[in-house]
Protein backbone atom coordinates (compact mmCIF):
# COMPACT_ATOMS: atom_id res chain seq x y z
CA UNK A 1 0.00 0.00 0.00
CA UNK A 2 2.80 2.35 0.97
CA UNK A 3 4.64 1.55 -2.27
CA UNK A 4 1.50 2.30 -4.26
CA UNK A 5 1.02 5.68 -2.53
CA UNK A 6 4.65 6.61 -3.21
CA UNK A 7 4.22 5.70 -6.87
CA UNK A 8 1.10 7.85 -7.19
CA UNK A 9 2.86 10.73 -5.44
CA UNK A 10 5.78 10.44 -7.85
CA UNK A 11 3.46 10.63 -10.83
CA UNK A 12 1.71 13.65 -9.35
CA UNK A 13 5.01 15.44 -8.69
CA UNK A 14 6.34 14.57 -12.15
CA UNK A 15 3.14 15.82 -13.72
CA UNK A 16 3.40 19.09 -11.81
CA UNK A 17 7.05 19.52 -12.80
CA UNK A 18 6.22 18.86 -16.46
CA UNK A 19 3.66 21.64 -16.38
CA UNK A 20 6.02 23.97 -14.52
CA UNK A 21 8.74 23.43 -17.07
CA UNK A 22 6.94 24.92 -20.04
CA UNK A 23 4.15 27.21 -21.10
CA UNK A 24 0.87 25.31 -20.92
CA UNK A 25 -0.84 26.18 -24.20
CA UNK A 26 -4.49 25.16 -24.20
CA UNK A 27 -6.84 24.31 -27.05
CA UNK A 28 -9.80 26.57 -26.34
CA UNK A 29 -12.27 28.63 -28.31
CA UNK A 30 -12.03 32.37 -27.82
CA UNK A 31 -15.07 32.37 -25.56
CA UNK A 32 -13.71 29.44 -23.53
CA UNK A 33 -10.40 31.23 -23.09
CA UNK A 34 -12.15 34.34 -21.75
CA UNK A 35 -14.38 32.32 -19.44
CA UNK A 36 -11.40 30.40 -18.07
CA UNK A 37 -9.36 33.58 -17.58
CA UNK A 38 -12.21 35.21 -15.64
CA UNK A 39 -12.71 32.13 -13.49
CA UNK A 40 -9.00 31.92 -12.62
CA UNK A 41 -8.42 35.66 -12.27
CA UNK A 42 -5.84 35.72 -15.08
CA UNK A 43 -5.19 37.48 -18.34
CA UNK A 44 -4.91 35.83 -21.76
CA UNK A 45 -1.68 35.28 -23.68
CA UNK A 46 -1.83 34.41 -27.40
CA UNK A 47 1.16 33.28 -29.45
CA UNK A 48 0.44 33.64 -33.18
CA UNK A 49 2.76 31.63 -35.42
CA UNK A 50 3.08 29.89 -38.78
CA UNK A 51 4.63 26.52 -39.56
CA UNK A 52 7.22 28.06 -41.93
CA UNK A 53 8.40 30.76 -39.49
CA UNK A 54 11.93 30.08 -38.17
CA UNK A 55 11.72 32.50 -35.18
CA UNK A 56 8.40 30.87 -34.23
CA UNK A 57 10.06 27.45 -34.06
CA UNK A 58 12.95 28.91 -32.09
CA UNK A 59 10.55 30.41 -29.52
CA UNK A 60 8.67 27.12 -29.23
CA UNK A 61 11.83 25.07 -28.66
CA UNK A 62 14.10 27.44 -26.74
CA UNK A 63 11.87 29.84 -24.81
CA UNK A 64 8.38 28.48 -24.15
CA UNK A 65 9.96 25.26 -22.81
CA UNK A 66 11.98 27.05 -20.11
CA UNK A 67 10.67 26.65 -16.50
CA UNK A 68 10.89 30.35 -15.63
CA UNK A 69 8.92 31.31 -18.73
CA UNK A 70 6.36 28.57 -18.08
CA UNK A 71 5.99 29.62 -14.44
CA UNK A 72 5.42 33.27 -15.34
CA UNK A 73 2.95 32.73 -18.19
CA UNK A 74 1.04 29.88 -16.52
CA UNK A 75 0.63 31.83 -13.27
CA UNK A 76 -0.60 34.99 -14.97
CA UNK A 77 -2.32 33.97 -18.18
CA UNK A 78 -4.46 31.43 -19.93
CA UNK A 79 -2.21 30.70 -22.90
CA UNK A 80 -3.19 29.95 -26.50
CA UNK A 81 -0.91 29.17 -29.44
CA UNK A 82 -2.62 29.73 -32.79
CA UNK A 83 -1.48 28.94 -36.33
CA UNK A 84 -2.32 32.09 -38.31
CA UNK A 85 -2.99 30.06 -41.46
CA UNK A 86 -4.48 26.75 -40.32
CA UNK A 87 -6.56 28.26 -37.50
CA UNK A 88 -7.57 31.49 -39.26
CA UNK A 89 -11.23 30.83 -38.36
CA UNK A 90 -10.51 30.99 -34.61
CA UNK A 91 -12.58 33.63 -32.84
CA UNK A 92 -9.47 35.52 -31.73
CA UNK A 93 -8.70 36.48 -35.34
CA UNK A 94 -12.06 38.19 -35.70
CA UNK A 95 -10.68 40.83 -33.35
CA UNK A 96 -6.92 40.86 -33.86
CA UNK A 97 -4.50 40.23 -36.72
CA UNK A 98 -0.75 39.71 -36.82
CA UNK A 99 1.36 41.52 -39.41
CA UNK A 100 4.52 39.50 -38.67
CA UNK A 101 5.41 36.18 -37.08
CA UNK A 102 5.66 35.31 -34.33
CA UNK A 103 3.41 37.93 -32.77
CA UNK A 104 2.35 37.85 -29.12
CA UNK A 105 -0.81 39.35 -27.66
CA UNK A 106 -1.33 40.00 -23.96
CA UNK A 107 -4.98 40.68 -23.07
CA UNK A 108 -7.24 40.97 -20.05
CA UNK A 109 -9.91 38.37 -19.30
CA UNK A 110 -12.46 40.26 -21.41
CA UNK A 111 -10.19 40.22 -24.46
CA UNK A 112 -9.08 43.84 -24.24
CA UNK A 113 -5.52 44.30 -25.41
CA UNK A 114 -2.72 45.11 -22.99
CA UNK A 115 0.03 45.08 -25.61
CA UNK A 116 1.45 43.20 -28.59
CA UNK A 117 5.01 42.52 -29.79
CA UNK A 118 6.64 40.54 -32.56
CA UNK A 119 9.86 38.59 -33.08
CA UNK A 120 12.19 36.35 -31.13
CA UNK A 121 12.96 37.17 -27.48
CA UNK A 122 15.37 35.29 -25.19
CA UNK A 123 13.69 33.95 -22.05
CA UNK A 124 14.54 36.76 -19.62
CA UNK A 125 13.70 39.45 -22.16
CA UNK A 126 10.41 37.73 -22.98
CA UNK A 127 9.43 37.70 -19.31
CA UNK A 128 10.36 41.38 -19.04
CA UNK A 129 8.27 42.23 -22.12
CA UNK A 130 5.36 40.25 -20.64
CA UNK A 131 5.63 42.15 -17.36
CA UNK A 132 5.65 45.44 -19.25
CA UNK A 133 2.56 44.31 -21.17
CA UNK A 134 0.60 43.92 -17.94
CA UNK A 135 1.48 47.52 -17.07
CA UNK A 136 0.82 48.78 -20.59
CA UNK A 137 -1.68 51.50 -21.28
CA UNK A 138 -1.92 50.56 -24.94
CA UNK A 139 -5.64 49.79 -24.88
CA UNK A 140 -6.43 53.18 -23.39
CA UNK A 141 -4.01 54.81 -25.83
CA UNK A 142 -5.79 53.20 -28.78
CA UNK A 143 -9.19 54.43 -27.55
CA UNK A 144 -7.83 57.95 -26.99
CA UNK A 145 -6.06 58.10 -30.35
CA UNK A 146 -9.08 56.68 -32.16
CA UNK A 147 -11.18 59.44 -30.58
CA UNK A 148 -8.68 62.05 -31.82
CA UNK A 149 -8.93 60.61 -35.32
CA UNK A 150 -12.74 60.68 -35.20
CA UNK A 151 -12.58 64.33 -34.09
CA UNK A 152 -10.58 65.14 -37.22
CA UNK A 153 -6.97 65.26 -35.96
CA UNK A 154 -4.85 64.95 -39.12
CA UNK A 155 -1.42 66.38 -38.34
CA UNK A 156 1.32 64.39 -40.05
CA UNK A 157 3.00 63.38 -36.78
CA UNK A 158 -0.29 62.16 -35.32
CA UNK A 159 -1.25 60.21 -38.45
CA UNK A 160 2.19 58.55 -38.54
CA UNK A 161 1.89 57.63 -34.85
CA UNK A 162 -1.73 56.48 -35.02
CA UNK A 163 -1.37 54.34 -38.14
CA UNK A 164 2.04 52.78 -37.60
CA UNK A 165 2.45 52.71 -33.81
CA UNK A 166 -1.12 51.96 -32.83
CA UNK A 167 -3.39 50.63 -35.61
CA UNK A 168 -0.67 48.52 -37.25
CA UNK A 169 -0.08 46.62 -34.00
CA UNK A 170 -3.59 45.24 -33.73
CA UNK A 171 -5.43 45.93 -36.99
CA UNK A 172 -2.72 45.87 -39.69
CA UNK A 173 -5.27 45.40 -42.48
CA UNK A 174 -6.87 48.71 -41.49
CA UNK A 175 -3.78 50.87 -41.97
CA UNK A 176 -4.21 51.27 -45.73
CA UNK A 177 -7.93 52.17 -45.51
CA UNK A 178 -7.08 54.78 -42.87
CA UNK A 179 -4.32 56.16 -45.09
CA UNK A 180 -6.76 56.38 -48.01
CA UNK A 181 -9.07 58.47 -45.82
CA UNK A 182 -6.15 60.70 -44.80
CA UNK A 183 -5.12 61.29 -48.42
CA UNK A 184 -8.70 62.18 -49.30
CA UNK A 185 -8.41 65.27 -47.12
CA UNK A 186 -5.17 66.56 -48.66
CA UNK A 187 -4.46 68.71 -51.68
CA UNK A 188 -2.17 67.42 -54.44
CA UNK A 189 0.53 69.80 -53.21
CA UNK A 190 0.27 68.38 -49.70
CA UNK A 191 0.43 64.82 -51.02
CA UNK A 192 3.59 65.54 -53.02
CA UNK A 193 5.70 66.13 -49.88
CA UNK A 194 8.44 64.15 -48.19
CA UNK A 195 6.42 63.35 -45.08
CA UNK A 196 3.51 61.87 -47.00
CA UNK A 197 5.90 60.00 -49.28
CA UNK A 198 7.47 58.39 -46.22
CA UNK A 199 4.03 57.08 -45.23
CA UNK A 200 3.19 55.82 -48.70
CA UNK A 201 6.45 54.01 -49.39
CA UNK A 202 5.42 51.18 -47.03
CA UNK A 203 2.73 50.15 -49.53
CA UNK A 204 4.83 49.47 -52.62
CA UNK A 205 4.30 45.69 -52.63
CA UNK A 206 0.82 45.88 -54.11
CA UNK A 207 -0.96 47.73 -56.92
CA UNK A 208 -4.45 48.78 -55.92
CA UNK A 209 -7.02 51.07 -57.48
CA UNK A 210 -6.99 53.38 -54.47
CA UNK A 211 -5.64 56.74 -53.36
CA UNK A 212 -2.49 55.19 -51.86
CA UNK A 213 -1.22 53.60 -55.07
CA UNK A 214 -2.40 56.46 -57.28
CA UNK A 215 -0.42 58.90 -55.13
CA UNK A 216 2.66 56.68 -55.29
CA UNK A 217 2.43 56.42 -59.07
CA UNK A 218 1.45 60.00 -59.81
CA UNK A 219 4.23 61.48 -57.67
CA UNK A 220 6.90 58.79 -58.01
CA UNK A 221 9.31 61.23 -59.66
CA UNK A 222 8.93 63.73 -56.83
CA UNK A 223 9.27 61.10 -54.10
CA UNK A 224 12.38 59.76 -55.87
CA UNK A 225 14.00 63.19 -55.50
CA UNK A 226 12.83 63.66 -51.92
CA UNK A 227 13.49 60.14 -50.58
CA UNK A 228 16.37 58.99 -52.78
CA UNK A 229 17.29 55.60 -54.17
CA UNK A 230 15.50 53.64 -51.44
CA UNK A 231 12.21 54.89 -52.82
CA UNK A 232 13.28 54.06 -56.37
CA UNK A 233 14.09 50.51 -55.26
CA UNK A 234 10.63 50.17 -53.74
CA UNK A 235 8.87 51.43 -56.86
CA UNK A 236 10.95 49.01 -58.94
CA UNK A 237 9.64 46.31 -56.62
CA UNK A 238 6.08 47.58 -57.08
CA UNK A 239 6.05 47.96 -60.84
CA UNK A 240 8.58 45.33 -61.93
CA UNK A 241 9.67 42.63 -59.48
CA UNK A 242 6.31 41.79 -57.89
CA UNK A 243 4.47 41.80 -61.25
CA UNK A 244 7.14 39.51 -62.72
CA UNK A 245 6.63 37.06 -59.84
CA UNK A 246 2.85 37.30 -60.12
CA UNK A 247 2.97 36.69 -63.88
CA UNK A 248 3.85 33.06 -63.13
CA UNK A 249 2.64 32.49 -59.56
CA UNK A 250 -0.59 34.53 -59.42
CA UNK A 251 -1.84 35.34 -62.91
CA UNK A 252 -5.12 36.80 -61.63
CA UNK A 253 -3.27 39.27 -59.42
CA UNK A 254 -0.85 40.09 -62.25
CA UNK A 255 -3.68 40.83 -64.71
CA UNK A 256 -5.57 42.88 -62.15
CA UNK A 257 -2.49 44.99 -61.36
CA UNK A 258 -1.57 45.50 -65.01
CA UNK A 259 -5.11 46.58 -65.88
CA UNK A 260 -4.79 49.35 -63.28
CA UNK A 261 -1.37 50.41 -64.54
CA UNK A 262 -2.54 50.50 -68.17
CA UNK A 263 -5.33 53.02 -67.51
CA UNK A 264 -3.25 55.24 -65.20
CA UNK A 265 -0.99 58.01 -66.47
CA UNK A 266 2.05 58.72 -64.30
CA UNK A 267 5.66 59.89 -64.64
CA UNK A 268 8.19 57.24 -65.75
CA UNK A 269 5.42 54.94 -66.96
CA UNK A 270 7.27 54.21 -70.21
CA UNK A 271 10.50 53.51 -68.33
CA UNK A 272 8.85 50.86 -66.15
CA UNK A 273 7.08 49.42 -69.18
CA UNK A 274 10.41 49.15 -71.02
CA UNK A 275 12.01 47.53 -67.97
CA UNK A 276 9.22 44.94 -67.83
CA UNK A 277 9.88 44.13 -71.48
CA UNK A 278 13.59 43.74 -70.70
CA UNK A 279 12.78 41.50 -67.71
CA UNK A 280 10.60 39.25 -69.87
CA UNK A 281 13.43 38.95 -72.39
CA UNK A 282 15.83 38.14 -69.58
CA UNK A 283 13.50 35.47 -68.20
CA UNK A 284 13.88 33.65 -71.54
CA UNK A 285 17.68 33.68 -71.01
CA UNK A 286 18.02 35.91 -74.08
CA UNK A 287 20.91 37.76 -72.45
CA UNK A 288 22.25 39.65 -75.49
CA UNK A 289 19.04 41.57 -76.36
CA UNK A 290 18.25 42.02 -72.66
CA UNK A 291 21.64 43.69 -72.15
CA UNK A 292 21.07 46.04 -75.08
CA UNK A 293 17.66 47.01 -73.70
CA UNK A 294 19.09 47.53 -70.21
CA UNK A 295 21.83 49.84 -71.49
CA UNK A 296 19.32 51.88 -73.50
CA UNK A 297 16.98 52.20 -70.52
CA UNK A 298 19.82 53.21 -68.20
CA UNK A 299 21.22 55.87 -70.51
CA UNK A 300 17.74 57.33 -71.02
CA UNK A 301 16.80 57.50 -67.33
CA UNK A 302 19.97 57.59 -65.20
CA UNK A 303 19.56 61.33 -64.62
CA UNK A 304 16.41 60.95 -62.54
CA UNK A 305 16.81 57.32 -61.45
CA UNK A 306 20.55 56.77 -60.81
CA UNK A 307 19.92 53.38 -59.23
CA UNK A 308 18.27 51.93 -62.33
CA UNK A 309 21.46 50.17 -63.48
CA UNK A 310 21.90 48.45 -60.12
CA UNK A 311 18.30 47.23 -60.12
CA UNK A 312 18.63 45.77 -63.60
CA UNK A 313 21.97 44.07 -62.86
CA UNK A 314 20.33 42.45 -59.85
CA UNK A 315 17.85 40.87 -62.27
CA UNK A 316 20.70 39.55 -64.42
CA UNK A 317 22.23 37.96 -61.32
CA UNK A 318 18.95 36.23 -60.48
CA UNK A 319 18.74 35.06 -64.09
CA UNK A 320 22.11 33.25 -63.68
CA UNK A 321 24.01 35.43 -66.14
CA UNK A 322 27.19 35.19 -64.04
CA UNK A 323 27.25 31.43 -63.47
CA UNK A 324 29.71 29.23 -65.37
CA UNK A 325 27.02 27.19 -67.13
CA UNK A 326 26.30 30.15 -69.41
CA UNK A 327 28.75 30.65 -72.29
CA UNK A 328 28.97 34.42 -72.65
CA UNK A 329 29.99 36.11 -75.87
CA UNK A 330 32.63 38.86 -75.92
CA UNK A 331 29.89 41.38 -76.70
CA UNK A 332 27.79 40.27 -73.74
CA UNK A 333 30.82 40.62 -71.45
CA UNK A 334 31.52 44.11 -72.80
CA UNK A 335 27.88 45.17 -72.37
CA UNK A 336 27.75 43.90 -68.79
CA UNK A 337 30.99 45.70 -68.02
CA UNK A 338 29.49 48.95 -69.32
CA UNK A 339 26.31 48.35 -67.33
CA UNK A 340 28.30 47.70 -64.13
CA UNK A 341 30.57 50.72 -64.69
CA UNK A 342 27.53 52.98 -65.07
CA UNK A 343 25.91 51.44 -61.99
CA UNK A 344 28.97 52.25 -59.88
CA UNK A 345 29.42 55.73 -61.34
CA UNK A 346 25.80 56.73 -60.73
CA UNK A 347 25.45 55.13 -57.25
CA UNK A 348 28.79 54.14 -55.64
CA UNK A 349 28.33 51.50 -52.92
CA UNK A 350 29.58 48.09 -51.83
CA UNK A 351 26.86 46.57 -53.99
CA UNK A 352 27.76 48.35 -57.22
CA UNK A 353 31.47 47.83 -56.56
CA UNK A 354 30.78 44.08 -56.40
CA UNK A 355 28.98 44.33 -59.74
CA UNK A 356 31.98 46.12 -61.21
CA UNK A 357 34.35 43.43 -59.90
CA UNK A 358 32.13 40.60 -61.16
CA UNK A 359 32.00 42.19 -64.61
CA UNK A 360 35.82 42.31 -64.69
CA UNK A 361 35.97 38.65 -63.68
CA UNK A 362 33.67 37.76 -66.58
CA UNK A 363 36.38 38.95 -68.93
CA UNK A 364 39.03 37.00 -67.00
CA UNK A 365 40.58 40.24 -65.70
CA UNK A 366 41.01 38.73 -62.24
CA UNK A 367 43.64 41.17 -60.99
CA UNK A 368 41.38 44.15 -61.72
CA UNK A 369 38.50 42.34 -60.01
CA UNK A 370 40.63 41.60 -56.96
CA UNK A 371 41.82 45.22 -56.69
CA UNK A 372 38.22 46.40 -56.81
CA UNK A 373 37.17 43.96 -54.08
CA UNK A 374 40.03 45.20 -51.89
CA UNK A 375 38.27 48.59 -51.82
CA UNK A 376 34.98 47.26 -50.46
CA UNK A 377 35.58 48.51 -46.87
CA UNK A 378 35.81 52.08 -48.15
CA UNK A 379 32.25 52.11 -49.49
CA UNK A 380 28.98 52.10 -47.65
CA UNK A 381 25.78 50.16 -47.94
CA UNK A 382 23.82 48.79 -49.61
CA UNK A 383 25.72 45.53 -49.62
CA UNK A 384 24.57 42.48 -51.53
CA UNK A 385 22.74 39.76 -49.60
CA UNK A 386 24.71 36.56 -49.03
CA UNK A 387 22.16 34.45 -50.94
CA UNK A 388 22.53 36.57 -54.08
CA UNK A 389 26.27 37.12 -53.58
CA UNK A 390 26.95 33.47 -54.44
CA UNK A 391 25.30 33.94 -57.83
CA UNK A 392 27.95 36.52 -58.78
CA UNK A 393 30.38 33.60 -58.94
CA UNK A 394 33.25 35.66 -57.52
CA UNK A 395 35.02 32.52 -56.37
CA UNK A 396 36.46 32.37 -59.89
CA UNK A 397 38.75 35.28 -58.95
CA UNK A 398 42.32 34.27 -58.16
CA UNK A 399 45.70 35.93 -58.14
CA UNK A 400 48.62 34.66 -60.22
CA UNK A 401 51.28 34.03 -57.58
CA UNK A 402 54.15 33.96 -60.07
Amino acid sequence: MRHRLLTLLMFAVCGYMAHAQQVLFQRLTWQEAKDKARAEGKGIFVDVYTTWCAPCKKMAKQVFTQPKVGDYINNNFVALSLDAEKEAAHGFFKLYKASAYPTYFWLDADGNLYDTQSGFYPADEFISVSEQALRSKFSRQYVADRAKWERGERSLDFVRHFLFDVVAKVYPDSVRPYLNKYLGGLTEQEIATKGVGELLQWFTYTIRDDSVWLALAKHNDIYQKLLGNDFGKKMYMNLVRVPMINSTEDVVEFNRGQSIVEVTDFPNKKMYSDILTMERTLRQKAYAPALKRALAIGLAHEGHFPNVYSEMIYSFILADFFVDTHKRTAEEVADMRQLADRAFRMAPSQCTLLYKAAARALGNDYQAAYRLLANLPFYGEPALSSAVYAKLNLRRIHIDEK
Side-chain angles (χ1 to χ4, degrees):
M1 183 69 178
R2 183 181 177 189
H3 176 72
R4 187 177 177 186
L5 288 173
L6 286 172
T7 301
L8 290 172
L9 182 60
M10 266 178 49
F11 277 119
V13 170
C14 289
Y16 169 78
M17 289 177 64
H19 283 178
Q21 287 175 356
Q22 61 184 0
V23 176
L24 180 59
F25 288 112
Q26 304 180 55
R27 298 191 64 80
L28 302 169
T29 66
W30 184 230
Q31 188 58 53
E32 289 171 342
K34 291 190 291 182
D35 290 344
K36 187 174 180 62
R38 291 191 197 101
E40 297 179 3
K42 297 178 179 179
I44 301 171
F45 170 72
V46 182
D47 163 48
V48 178
Y49 70 96
T50 63
T51 55
W52 45 262
C53 163
C56 301
K57 296 176 183 177
K58 193 174 178 182
M59 286 295 296
K61 292 180 179 179
Q62 299 182 15
V63 179
F64 294 146
T65 54
Q66 292 201 31
K68 55 188 173 184
V69 175
D71 285 345
Y72 181 81
I73 294 297
N74 296 338
N75 287 332
N76 292 281
F77 300 94
V78 171
L80 305 180
S81 187
L82 301 176
D83 187 319
E85 296 173 337
K86 296 179 180 179
E87 297 177 276
H90 193 279
F92 170 81
F93 292 117
K94 293 180 180 179
L95 299 172
Y96 302 104
K97 302 287 185 183
S99 57
Y101 305 106
T103 292
Y104 320 107
F105 295 82
W106 294 269
L107 312 101
D108 66 19
D110 294 318
N112 299 309
L113 187 69
Y114 287 133
D115 203 357
T116 178
Q117 299 292 339
S118 299
F120 175 82
Y121 289 96
D124 289 335
E125 191 174 349
F126 179 77
I127 292 172
S128 176
V129 169
S130 298
E131 290 173 340
Q132 292 172 27
L134 283 176
R135 300 191 298 269
S136 173
K137 299 178 181 178
F138 180 83
S139 184
R140 279 178 284 175
Q141 179 186 20
Y142 171 76
V143 172
D145 287 342
R146 174 69 185 272
K148 285 184 180 180
W149 172 273
E150 295 296 339
R151 291 197 299 269
E153 172 62 63
R154 294 295 187 274
S155 68
L156 183 62
D157 286 342
F158 170 76
V159 171
R160 182 185 294 110
H161 158 74
F162 179 55
L163 296 191
F164 294 98
D165 296 337
V166 180
V167 176
K169 293 185 74 173
V170 286
Y171 306 114
D173 293 343
S174 297
V175 175
R176 188 162 184 150
Y178 270 113
L179 191 53
N180 276 312
K181 291 179 183 178
Y182 171 63
L183 293 174
L186 300 181
T187 65
E188 287 298 323
Q189 284 185 323
E190 291 171 329
I191 292 174
T193 57
K194 183 178 181 180
V196 174
E198 288 173 339
L199 300 181
L200 294 173
Q201 67 180 339
W202 296 105
F203 298 91
T204 50
Y205 283 87
T206 55
I207 296 173
R208 294 284 183 270
D209 187 13
D210 64 2
S211 297
V212 169
W213 186 80
L214 290 173
L216 280 167
K218 186 174 183 178
H219 302 293
N220 77 85
D221 56 336
I222 296 174
Y223 294 145
Q224 171 77 34
K225 293 176 183 177
L226 295 174
L227 302 175
N229 285 335
D230 282 348
F231 179 81
K233 181 182 288 291
K234 290 175 180 177
M235 285 305 294
Y236 198 103
M237 178 72 71
N238 180 258
L239 291 166
V240 180
R241 299 210 189 282
V242 171
M244 285 300 295
I245 293 171
N246 287 339
S247 67
T248 56
E249 297 184 4
D250 191 343
V251 177
V252 173
E253 178 66 17
F254 171 77
N255 290 334
R256 189 195 58 75
Q258 291 308 295
S259 66
I260 295 171
V261 171
E262 287 171 5
V263 299
T264 307
D265 291 324
F266 55 90
N268 300 320
K269 181 176 180 177
K270 185 178 186 307
M271 178 188 75
Y272 286 112
S273 176
D274 290 344
I275 291 173
L276 266 177
T277 300
M278 184 275 294
E279 293 269 357
R280 292 190 187 100
T281 304
L282 185 56
R283 176 173 284 180
Q284 302 302 317
K285 306 295 185 183
Y287 297 120
L291 280 164
K292 297 299 184 186
R293 288 181 184 273
L295 283 169
I297 292 167
L299 291 171
H301 300 285
E302 64 180 25
H304 60 86
F305 189 7
N307 217 39
V308 66
Y309 292 107
S310 182
E311 293 299 322
M312 292 189 292
I313 292 175
Y314 187 87
S315 295
F316 276 88
I317 297 171
L318 296 181
D320 293 330
F321 177 78
F322 290 87
V323 301
D324 289 331
T325 53
H326 170 57
K327 304 299 182 182
R328 290 161 293 273
T329 66
E331 187 173 9
E332 287 175 347
V333 171
D335 285 346
M336 178 52 72
R337 178 167 176 166
Q338 185 181 352
L339 204 64
D341 286 350
R342 296 303 299 173
F344 181 74
R345 178 175 294 185
M346 298 306 299
S349 68
Q350 289 186 10
C351 185
T352 53
L353 188 62
L354 279 171
Y355 295 164
K356 194 176 172 77
R360 294 300 186 278
L362 284 178
N364 298 324
D365 191 353
Y366 299 124
Q367 288 191 344
Y370 187 85
R371 286 194 297 270
L372 288 168
L373 292 177
N375 286 284
L376 275 177
F378 301 104
Y379 290 90
E381 295 183 349
L384 200 61
S385 69
S386 58
V388 178
Y389 184 92
K391 283 180 167 285
L392 275 177
N393 203 16
L394 287 172
R395 64 181 180 277
R396 77 175 78 224
I397 299 175
H398 64 274
I399 296 297
D400 189 345
E401 297 180 353
K402 293 182 180 179

